[in-house]
Amino acid sequence: MLVRILVLLYLAGAPALAQTLCQPNASNGCRVRISIKTALGNQAYEWNENEMFLFRATMAFAMRRYYKTETYNVDNIIMCNQTLRVSFWFVVTSPENSTMLIPKADVEKAVRMSRHRINNAFLLTDRTLEFLGIHPTLAAPVNPDTPPWLIVFGVVIGAVFAGIIALLVSSLLQKRRKEKGMMEDGQDEEDRQMKGVENDNVLDGIYNRGFTDDDRFTKL
Amino acid sequence: MGKDAARAEWDNPMQFVLACVSYAVGLGNVWRFPYLCQMHGGGGFLIPYLLMLVLLGVPLFYMELAIGQKMRLGSIGAWRAISPYLGGVGLASVVTSMYLCLYYNVINAWSFWYLFHSFQSVLPWAECPVNSNLTGHVEECERATPTQYFFYRETLDISGSIEENGGIHMGQALCLLLAWMIVYLFIVKGVKSTGKVVYFTATFPYLVLIIYLIRGVTLHGAINGVKYMFTPKMEQLANPTTWINAATQIFFSLGLGFGSLIAFASYNQYNNNFEKQAIVVSMVNSSTSIFASIVTFSIYGFKATFNYESCLERVRLLLLNTFDLAEDTISLENVNHWIAELNRTHPEQFASLGGRLETCDLEAELDTAVEGTGLAFIVYSEAIKNMPVSQLWSVLYFIMLLLLGMGSMLGNVIAVITPLSDLKFISRYMSTKTLNGLVCLFCLLLGLGFTTRSGNYWFTMFNDYGATFSLLFIVLIEVITVCYIYGIKRFEKDVEDMLGHRLNWYWKIMLAGVSPILLITLFIFYIVNYIQGGTPTYQAWNKELGKSVVTEYPPYAQAFIGLLLASSVCCIPLTALYTYCKKRNLASGKRERTVSTVSA
């Protein structure tokens, strides 16, 4: 009889005990904020008891994975203070002793380890499934051996350099050909300009437009 | 006159027109005119702008082309031919162009840097980089914005003030080398190569502007920007600064006084109809400014709307999280309604929000007017990163900036090289190719100073003081020389000789009367403004605060500013003095010789 009364009291008191364990701003409690509509828009699902159950199951999974043990269960995750925002607090109790809470630091580490799996279970991201106090791990920057900009730069400067060399060599070859052939210098303006200015005595006198070589003005 | 036969020429008049367009249409059309439009009353600014174009811009442009085409020499030779005592005007132009060459190509180097960094899956200025222990973002980036961080830290690696020098930024130095190599490639064969290049540099920016116009006006919120820009605020017309800025913008946008126009025109055929071309190029330049400002403002509007809506989103989230309301109770439209509601129903909780609650104001976002490098590299790249397929738009945009900048660089470099190659003692010893190469190498080596950690501050100094005052002075002397010392009658005869018809009354009145008066007014205003402005200041980037702070120049920097201004302006009186002394020595020398022969 006494045992039955004690069992009844225990069963009545357990949820109450659980409630005292889970409180907002508890030292070992974590706050979670979920933004389903932001993440999924039209395909947003409703947050109900089933989703809560899934959350507890996922958290138990995370604890199992972290401690590499199979002792954690859904009962070890206690949630409270749910709001319309969809935010709530939760605490994790130890499987051996249901009155003892797992420290927040360990819970955080467990969450960090399985964050990707937890997000995917709810089709959410780090930003829409927030564990307040646990910052999302930022992706490590990808550092390629050669920065990509250097590759593009190398290509462009190679092309420009080739262009300059081509222009210089071509004008050098033209000059050499002219010197060899002693042709009428009607094509290379550059050449004429140099010669004209270097040898002052070539251009003495007044230039008479009547004797203009009009072929000079036709395009090469 | 004998030099006609030897001088290189443009293949056809079209190349000359495109070269002038390519030179005049530059970065100022994209980043200075929209800013002025916004500052001085939107659509109303067009009135002083177009008026100044007609009164000041076109006549002076016409005059420079006429001088170049008539004298067929670069600026030094041309001014010496007009008036031997005022040959210093040409020299002053060359010195100013040299300063411009030194710092202008640094902008092209930055454009290259941004262009090469656009070939990545995520644009580097879209997000803050993570810090070394992967816990969060770099603090400097958190305090500023990612685009500012990328510009000030990764592109420039800027120091805290002009006094703190540092090493050369290797990436910048490489990009500057590339920029100068491209300039050399374009000018290596003189006008023959330049003439072909300007077909591309003059026309392709328009293609990109049209593509951007279509993209810009279809962006969400672009209409806010365009409406904001074109709403005329007529009361700004009463402000004299509006008229002064309009005149200055026309003046610098057309590139008067640098000697580039004289150099370009010197390669023309003697009878080229430059009158029509002068009007065409000026009109094209101004319409490009207006066109570019429509593009700029639609992108402004997009950025402002984006920031405004992001602000509203942050406020919405803050309210939802603080008051634990369901997600769909507050939407972006009724945020402000809910703020009032919650303030009424939960005043203490609302008060606890304190400073975290931002006020979101679209007008304030549009009001943040920026000009210059800030607009091009910070504001624009911020807008681009939010566009879909941002890499494509980024590449297009920076290619456009490069073409605009390169086109103007061509004019600047030719303004320096043409007078130098006309000088006998230089052309006797080296070919044009070697001279071009030496000038480019010299400018590259000095320009490396702008790639140091404090280089941006020196760049700003050159940009603000290197050309503004000296140009006004140079062009003022130019107009007075041509109209009163050379004589408007002689000028008329020269033009008639070239074009076949006399000077119109419009040109005569503008050149001889209106333009000199306007220039003198501008000049006096500049001096008064400079004196009233007190100690010159600059914007120094403070990495702790993550923003720019106004700092005074140290004394040696102020002395350098004075040196910049004096070095080009002093050429004019010094050359006049030198010519006077030389003539006196020659005259007295002749007298001595004649005396000796008589006595002997």
Side-chain angles (χ1 to χ4, degrees):
Chain A
M1 176 69 180
L2 198 61
V3 175
R4 241 181 266 147
I5 293 172
L6 279 171
V7 168
L8 275 170
L9 270 174
Y10 174 72
L11 282 172
L17 187 64
Q19 278 309 100
T20 53
L21 281 174
C22 172
Q23 275 173 12
N25 295 322
S27 55
N28 282 325
C30 284
R31 188 164 180 212
V32 178
R33 195 189 290 147
I34 300 186
S35 316
I36 310 176
K37 292 204 176 60
T38 316
L40 301 170
N42 287 337
Q43 293 157 344
Y45 49 80
E46 199 195 310
W47 187 261
N48 52 25
E49 281 301 316
N50 297 335
E51 306 289 343
M52 294 281 272
F53 182 79
L54 179 59
F55 184 82
R56 294 164 74 194
T58 324
M59 281 312 300
F61 164 77
M63 298 307 294
R64 281 194 184 194
R65 205 156 162 249
Y66 179 64
Y67 281 114
K68 298 190 178 53
T69 157
E70 291 175 11
T71 50
Y72 281 88
N73 227 321
V74 183
D75 303 321
N76 295 116
I77 316 291
I78 305 167
M79 303 170 50
C80 57
N81 211 36
Q82 189 180 333
T83 66
L84 274 177
R85 172 67 179 83
V86 193
S87 71
F88 50 83
W89 288 83
F90 76 93
V91 291
V92 183
T93 57
S94 164
E96 289 90 37
N97 182 354
S98 58
T99 50
M100 200 178 82
L101 295 178
I102 305 288
K104 186 167 173 178
D106 291 329
V107 175
E108 276 185 23
K109 287 199 197 107
V111 167
R112 269 220 183 89
M113 195 168 127
S114 310
R115 189 68 187 263
H116 189 60
R117 302 291 298 272
I118 302 174
N119 286 346
N120 277 349
F122 292 93
L123 306 173
L124 297 173
T125 66
D126 277 358
R127 250 186 1 100
T128 41
L129 171 58
E130 295 170 77
F131 288 85
L132 297 183
I134 305 177
H135 294 296
T137 42
L138 300 161
V142 178
N143 272 332
D145 295 323
T146 23
W149 78 267
L150 211 51
I151 301 173
V152 187
F153 170 79
V155 169
V156 174
I157 204 170
V160 170
F161 192 64
I164 293 178
I165 299 288
L167 276 180
L168 288 177
V169 164
S170 74
S171 57
L172 202 68
L173 284 176
Q174 265 185 340
K175 216 192 317 174
R176 222 157 272 159
R177 233 182 290 138
K178 217 163 289 158
E179 277 168 19
K180 265 201 212 138
M182 298 292 282
M183 271 171 13
E184 252 292 286
D185 54 352
Q187 270 125 37
D188 196 4
E189 297 294 340
E190 187 83 352
D191 211 347
R192 174 196 306 270
Q193 187 178 15
M194 274 166 32
K195 209 192 282 199
V197 177
E198 273 178 313
N199 308 326
D200 281 312
N201 51 1
V202 169
L203 296 173
D204 265 349
I206 303 170
Y207 182 67
N208 192 334
R209 289 206 164 260
F211 295 93
T212 308
D213 182 8
D214 279 320
D215 287 338
R216 217 163 32 88
F217 297 125
T218 57
K219 265 204 282 243
L220 290 162
Chain B
M1 293 310 240
K3 289 199 173 50
D4 288 0
R7 197 171 186 77
E9 287 191 359
W10 301 106
D11 284 337
N12 53 54
M14 191 53 156
Q15 282 187 357
F16 168 66
V17 172
L18 286 179
C20 288
V21 165
S22 177
Y23 170 64
V25 172
L27 295 168
N29 299 63
V30 169
W31 75 33
R32 177 103 176 124
F33 181 79
Y35 166 78
L36 287 177
C37 228
Q38 187 179 13
M39 287 273 92
H40 296 296
F45 182 70
L46 290 177
I47 297 176
Y49 182 73
L50 292 174
L51 206 61
M52 288 298 167
L53 175 68
V54 167
L55 295 179
L56 195 63
V58 180
L60 290 173
F61 196 82
Y62 176 91
M63 182 189 77
E64 291 217 358
L65 291 188
I67 293 168
Q69 194 166 305
K70 169 74 187 166
M71 301 300 163
R72 299 175 68 80
L73 289 171
S75 49
I76 298 182
W79 289 106
R80 233 196 335 226
I82 289 182
S83 160
Y85 289 108
L86 287 172
V89 172
L91 197 58
S93 291
V94 171
V95 170
T96 316
S97 285
M98 176 65 85
Y99 291 151
L100 193 67
C101 280
L102 284 180
Y103 80 79
Y104 200 85
N105 227 5
V106 177
I107 305 176
N108 289 332
W110 294 337
S111 300
F112 271 121
W113 174 267
Y114 270 80
L115 175 67
F116 295 149
H117 276 85
S118 307
F119 291 98
Q120 289 177 359
S121 52
V122 174
L123 292 176
W125 55 87
E127 296 170 342
C128 280
V130 289
N131 59 17
S132 40
N133 41 9
L134 297 187
T135 51
H137 298 293
V138 176
E139 299 105 52
E140 193 182 345
C141 193
E142 291 280 323
R143 282 181 228 119
T145 61
T147 38
Q148 280 180 320
Y149 176 78
F150 183 76
F151 183 62
Y152 287 114
R153 188 55 47 214
E154 301 203 15
T155 310
L156 300 174
D157 197 11
I158 205 166
S159 62
S161 74
I162 200 170
E163 289 130 16
E164 298 162 28
N165 294 316
I168 292 180
H169 188 297
M170 277 322 290
Q172 287 301 307
L174 286 176
C175 290
L176 187 64
L177 171 69
L178 176 63
W180 273 112
M181 278 177 68
I182 292 187
V183 169
Y184 182 62
L185 178 68
F186 288 167
I187 58 165
V188 68
K189 284 184 108 168
V191 282
K192 282 287 164 248
S193 52
T194 312
K196 303 209 171 42
V197 163
V198 292
Y199 281 117
F200 186 65
T201 58
T203 51
F204 194 75
Y206 285 99
L207 184 66
V208 179
L209 270 177
I210 291 175
I211 295 176
Y212 251 95
L213 180 72
I214 299 173
R215 168 75 274 200
V217 297
T218 52
L219 284 172
H220 169 64
I223 199 71
N224 293 334
V226 179
K227 232 189 325 179
Y228 182 80
M229 175 190 140
F230 278 116
T231 319
K233 300 184 196 70
M234 287 304 192
E235 59 274 7
Q236 280 286 338
L237 287 183
N239 182 3
T241 320
T242 310
W243 296 86
I244 302 287
N245 278 341
T248 323
Q249 174 60 15
I250 284 284
F251 192 82
F252 293 126
S253 180
L254 286 174
L256 304 167
F258 285 105
S260 313
L261 297 171
I262 297 181
F264 280 150
S266 70
Y267 297 111
N268 273 342
Q269 291 180 38
Y270 191 67
N271 296 104
N272 179 43
N273 185 3
F274 62 90
E275 182 173 350
K276 203 167 49 145
Q277 291 166 344
I279 298 176
V280 162
V281 173
S282 316
M283 294 297 163
V284 166
N285 182 46
S286 296
S287 18
T288 310
S289 289
I290 299 173
F291 182 52
S293 57
I294 299 178
V295 176
T296 302
F297 272 90
S298 50
I299 294 191
Y300 245 5
F302 164 72
K303 178 182 106 68
T305 311
F306 187 88
N307 286 349
Y308 172 67
E309 287 180 356
S310 302
C311 177
L312 283 180
E313 177 69 27
R314 283 195 300 274
V315 170
R316 170 181 165 268
L317 265 180
L318 183 65
L319 290 178
L320 284 179
N321 292 345
T322 320
F323 294 93
D324 283 323
L325 305 163
E327 271 183 280
D328 46 4
T329 44
I330 306 183
S331 71
L332 283 183
E333 284 83 42
N334 50 21
V335 167
N336 291 319
H337 161 76
W338 270 98
I339 291 178
E341 178 79 22
L342 288 167
N343 198 4
R344 196 171 49 85
T345 48
H346 301 87
E348 324 82 38
Q349 220 175 347
F350 195 85
S352 73
L353 280 176
R356 286 182 297 153
L357 189 68
E358 317 170 44
T359 39
C360 301
D361 186 1
L362 186 59
E363 280 286 319
E365 290 283 342
L366 286 169
D367 265 337
T368 52
V370 191
E371 58 160 337
T373 52
L375 173 63
F377 294 104
I378 298 179
V379 171
Y380 250 96
S381 41
E382 194 175 312
I384 288 173
K385 79 172 195 229
N386 296 324
M387 294 183 195
V389 200
S390 43
Q391 288 85 355
L392 169 70
W393 299 109
S394 179
V395 166
L396 264 182
Y397 173 67
F398 288 110
I399 288 183
M400 180 186 78
L401 277 193
L402 270 172
L403 286 172
L404 290 174
M406 279 298 173
S408 303
M409 252 333 266
L410 287 180
N412 297 334
V413 170
I414 289 184
V416 172
I417 286 178
T418 308
L420 286 182
S421 62
D422 288 335
L423 293 175
K424 287 206 196 64
F425 65 83
I426 287 185
S427 51
R428 202 175 326 168
Y429 293 121
M430 57 177 96
S431 66
T432 17
K433 289 195 201 66
T434 325
L435 174 68
N436 293 354
L438 281 180
V439 169
C440 290
L441 188 66
F442 178 70
C443 291
L444 168 66
L445 291 176
L446 285 187
L448 284 178
F450 294 110
T451 59
T452 58
R453 292 196 61 207
S454 56
N456 190 44
Y457 301 127
W458 291 99
F459 168 85
T460 316
M461 183 200 288
F462 268 75
N463 193 20
D464 290 340
Y465 299 106
T468 46
F469 178 78
S470 355
L471 275 186
L472 275 176
F473 187 64
I474 290 171
V475 178
L476 182 61
I477 302 287
E478 280 187 9
V479 168
I480 293 178
T481 309
V482 168
C483 294
Y484 298 108
I485 300 181
Y486 187 67
I488 191 90
K489 289 244 173 345
R490 248 200 295 180
F491 183 66
E492 235 182 316
K493 226 177 286 173
D494 287 334
V495 170
E496 201 184 352
D497 197 26
M498 286 192 284
L499 292 181
H501 59 262
R502 309 208 63 170
L503 265 188
N504 211 342
W505 58 266
Y506 162 73
W507 301 112
K508 273 194 273 200
I509 297 178
M510 292 304 154
L511 279 176
V514 178
S515 301
I517 295 174
L518 275 177
L519 280 172
I520 292 176
T521 323
L522 264 184
F523 190 70
I524 294 175
F525 174 80
Y526 248 85
I527 298 181
V528 166
N529 213 24
Y530 186 76
I531 296 175
Q532 270 185 348
T535 331
T537 57
Y538 66 103
Q539 302 266 13
W541 176 256
N542 185 325
K543 64 191 286 193
E544 276 84 44
L545 295 175
K547 49 194 263 256
S548 302
V549 285
V550 176
T551 325
E552 276 186 5
Y553 277 115
Y556 69 86
Q558 291 179 35
F560 191 78
I561 294 176
L563 189 66
L564 270 181
L565 294 174
S567 56
S568 45
V569 165
C570 281
C571 289
I572 303 178
L574 285 177
T575 319
L577 199 64
Y578 170 74
T579 320
Y580 177 69
C581 291
K582 205 167 71 162
K583 280 225 160 97
R584 237 182 30 167
N585 280 344
L586 238 107
S588 59
K590 269 205 199 91
R591 250 183 290 126
E592 276 173 19
R593 260 186 281 128
T594 47
V595 164
S596 61
T597 48
V598 164
S599 62

